[in-house]
């Protein structure tokens, strides 16, 4: 007999440790659609921490498209794609993603976490090398762990270090070399320097893989993301439907035909996990139609981000520099960031504090995120609340 009581006691100790360090995460229960304002515990709260960049999470056109796809194709697929889980809608969405983003083809996954978990192992072997930015998303780190490829790491956005790692990979005799980077680093809102990464990849004959979750839909011409913004093309692009593109779920890889064809044969999260439901696929098709022509929403988002940034700076907060709608308010130690988030909660503003191990020690922050659903009045409400909360916890 396993010592189940000992096991539970052990887990209790681990949880108590998390609590004692002030690192326990608690979830708020939203009783309304996701949006610029949400209802929590009977209170209306201004939401400044969703990835709902274009404000489409509760968009009536997406809800209608989801309903229509559910009416025509039913609720669930009850199958992986290759057995009997592929509908005409799935293939339409894959072709639509590929055409929009400028690749031969695309392949859908249940989430971008799965896409990143799937993409390395079938494509790269022991003879190859992958070079990963040190601030890459957890799913890229896990995906790389799952392959037998030689691993190199370069300091975040440090092109001299990337070049040193490319040289090391080449000198080590690697057959194929792939550089993997986020298009936007989500804790800081910094853009990867994709023009420079592409140039280095070309100089050293390496492939460039970009995860564009925090950019697709609202960065670059027609929302095509960070490669389009930089005027370059990624060899392999991954992304999500769970952020700007309606915020439901689903991920994809867009790439050349042989890459997609091989992933369909070998990618384990594709072969051994259920197909996306028709409602999600139908709404994702509608989301791309909306987003491709949504220069008005992108402009409003950019205006909101600039206004929000300027307002916080005028109040005296320390921000990280940038232009992305991720606007981190730097606070230093974790308890202060948490006290500030609680004070904002009291003001009717929903934010989330980020601290070690998600960001380095001493760099705890409130990561605010702008979206196109917010009005100037909403931003003024938020700025007034930040001002009062900042004074309350002593950062202003
Ligand atoms: C959100 C995110 C993911 C995960 O996307 P899901 O579709 O939610 O699984 C992967 N990579 C990056 C950079 C992200 O920001």
């Amino acid at each position: 007999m396993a010592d189940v009581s000992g096991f539970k006691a052990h887990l209790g100790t681990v949880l108590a440790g998390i609590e004692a360090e002030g690192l326990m995460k608690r979830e708020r229960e939203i009783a309304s659609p996701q949006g610029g304002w949400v209802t929590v515990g009977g209170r209306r709260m201004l939401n400044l921490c969703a990835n709902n960049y274009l404000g489409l999470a509760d968009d009536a056109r997406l809800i209608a498209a989801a309903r229509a796809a559910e009416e025509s194709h039913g609720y669930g697929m009850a199958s992986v794609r290759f057995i009997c889980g592929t509908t005409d809608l799935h293939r339409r969405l894959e072709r639509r993603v590929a055409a929009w983003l400028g690749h031969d083809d695309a392949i859908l996954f249940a989430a971008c976490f799965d896409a990143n978990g799937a993409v390395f192992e079938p494509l790269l072997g022991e003879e190859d090398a992958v070079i990963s930015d040190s601030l890459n998303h957890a799913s890229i780190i896990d995906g790389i762990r799952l392959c037998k490829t030689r691993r190199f790491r370069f300091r975040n956005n440090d092109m001299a270090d990337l070049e040193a790692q490319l040289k090391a990979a080449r000198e080590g005799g690697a057959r194929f070399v792939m550089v993997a980077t986020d298009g936007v680093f989500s804790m800081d809102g910094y853009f990867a320097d994709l023009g420079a990464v592409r140039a280095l990849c070309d100089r050293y004959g390496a492939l460039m893989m970009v995860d564009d979750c925090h950019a697709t839909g609202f960065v670059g011409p027609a929302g095509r993301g960070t490669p389009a913004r930089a005027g370059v093309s990624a060899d392999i692009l991954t992304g999500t439907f769970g952020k700007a593109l309606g915020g439901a779920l689903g991920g994809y890889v867009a790439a050349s035909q042989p890459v997609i064809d091989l992933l369909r044969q070998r990618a384990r999260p594709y072969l051994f996990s259920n197909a996306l439901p028709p409602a999600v696929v139908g709404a994702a098709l509608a989301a791309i139609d909306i987003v491709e022509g949504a220069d008005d929403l992108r402009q409003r988002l950019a205006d909101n981000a600039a206004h929000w940034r300027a307002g916080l700076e005028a109040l005296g907060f320390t921000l990280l520099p940038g232009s992305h709608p991720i606007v981190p308010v730097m606070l230093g130690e974790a308890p202060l960031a948490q006290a500030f988030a609680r004070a904002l909660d009291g003001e009717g503003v929903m934010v989330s504090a980020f601290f070690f191990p998600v960001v380095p020690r001493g760099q705890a922050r409130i990561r605010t995120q702008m979206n196109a659903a917010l009005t100037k009045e909403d931003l003024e409400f938020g700025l007034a609340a930040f001002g009062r909360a900042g004074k309350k916890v002593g950062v202003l």
Side-chain angles (χ1 to χ4, degrees):
M1 282 289 285
D3 182 3
V4 172
S5 64
F7 180 62
K8 288 184 182 172
H10 162 68
L11 299 189
T13 308
V14 173
L15 285 164
I18 294 172
E19 183 72 79
E21 282 193 81
L23 301 178
M24 187 67 83
K25 294 182 279 297
R26 293 199 163 74
E27 298 175 4
R28 281 176 282 228
E29 296 182 16
I30 297 174
S32 65
Q34 182 65 279
W37 291 82
V38 292
T39 306
V40 180
R43 286 193 303 152
R44 294 291 285 161
M45 294 190 81
L46 181 67
N47 186 356
L48 298 182
C49 51
N51 298 314
N52 186 23
Y53 292 109
L54 295 174
L56 296 177
D58 61 348
D59 190 276
R61 293 165 292 181
L62 298 195
I63 296 168
R67 284 210 177 114
E70 200 160 277
E71 289 295 334
S72 60
H73 289 72
Y75 173 63
M77 292 313 303
S79 172
V80 299
R81 287 284 303 275
F82 83 91
I83 299 179
C84 56
T86 297
T87 69
D88 52 336
L89 294 179
H90 291 89
R91 277 304 290 150
R92 256 177 66 200
L93 179 56
E94 287 171 338
R95 282 193 288 262
R96 186 76 176 88
V97 166
W100 178 39
L101 300 176
H103 291 270
D104 290 351
D105 202 354
I107 176 171
L108 300 176
F109 290 87
C112 189
F113 203 104
D114 287 327
N116 287 337
V119 76
F120 298 101
E121 189 258 345
L123 300 179
L124 300 172
E126 284 172 35
E127 320 83 318
D128 304 317
V130 62
I131 306 177
S132 179
D133 187 288
S134 62
L135 288 192
N136 275 345
H137 190 263
S139 54
I140 297 180
I141 295 169
D142 286 8
I144 290 172
R145 279 185 188 146
L146 291 171
C147 69
K148 297 196 173 74
T149 308
R150 279 195 68 191
R151 301 164 199 171
F152 297 82
R153 219 162 73 126
F154 66 103
R155 281 188 298 276
N156 176 234
N157 251 341
D158 182 333
M159 293 302 114
D161 196 27
L162 172 57
E163 181 156 24
Q165 303 307 319
L166 280 160
K167 278 190 183 137
R170 280 289 167 229
E171 279 159 14
R175 178 183 57 171
F176 302 119
V177 179
M178 186 186 292
V179 175
T181 182
D182 283 5
V184 171
F185 299 97
S186 60
M187 289 302 127
D188 302 327
Y190 291 160
F191 287 94
D193 187 353
L194 291 190
V197 175
R198 180 75 267 176
L200 282 171
C201 284
D202 291 346
R203 188 170 319 148
Y204 289 87
L207 298 152
M208 180 168 85
M209 177 273 185
V210 176
D211 169 352
D212 226 13
C213 282
H214 280 284
T216 310
F218 60 96
V219 166
R224 294 200 314 273
T226 55
R229 175 179 181 268
V232 299
S233 181
D235 298 294
I236 294 171
L237 188 66
T238 67
T240 183
F241 299 108
K243 291 186 171 113
L245 301 178
L249 83 167
Y252 55 82
V253 178
S256 62
Q257 199 62 56
V259 167
I260 302 303
D261 289 349
L262 186 61
L263 290 176
R264 251 186 244 291
Q265 300 305 315
R266 296 265 173 87
R268 292 165 67 84
Y270 186 82
L271 293 176
F272 298 104
S273 188
N274 208 32
L276 283 171
V280 166
V281 178
L285 278 162
I288 296 174
D289 286 347
I290 293 169
V291 158
E292 207 173 17
D295 284 342
D296 54 338
L297 291 180
R298 280 185 281 276
Q299 189 59 51
R300 198 176 315 154
L301 175 60
D303 290 348
N304 280 353
H307 187 83
W308 180 245
R309 227 169 224 293
L312 288 174
E313 270 167 0
L315 283 168
F317 287 105
T318 306
L319 310 180
L320 291 181
S323 60
H324 192 274
I326 290 173
V327 183
V329 180
M330 305 305 285
L331 293 159
E333 298 309 318
L336 179 61
Q338 282 174 306
F340 191 44
R342 273 196 302 276
L344 284 167
D345 185 282
E347 295 279 346
V349 176
M350 194 151 102
V351 295
S352 195
F354 289 77
F355 36 82
F356 185 80
V358 176
V359 295
R361 279 190 202 281
Q363 292 185 31
R365 67 197 67 183
I366 301 284
R367 183 183 71 174
T368 63
Q369 289 170 283
M370 280 297 107
N371 70 68
L374 299 174
T375 64
K376 286 280 146 46
E377 293 73 53
D378 296 336
L379 300 190
E380 293 311 323
F381 176 92
L383 288 170
F386 263 74
R388 285 190 296 272
K391 289 205 177 80
K392 184 172 174 198
V393 302
V395 294
L396 288 184

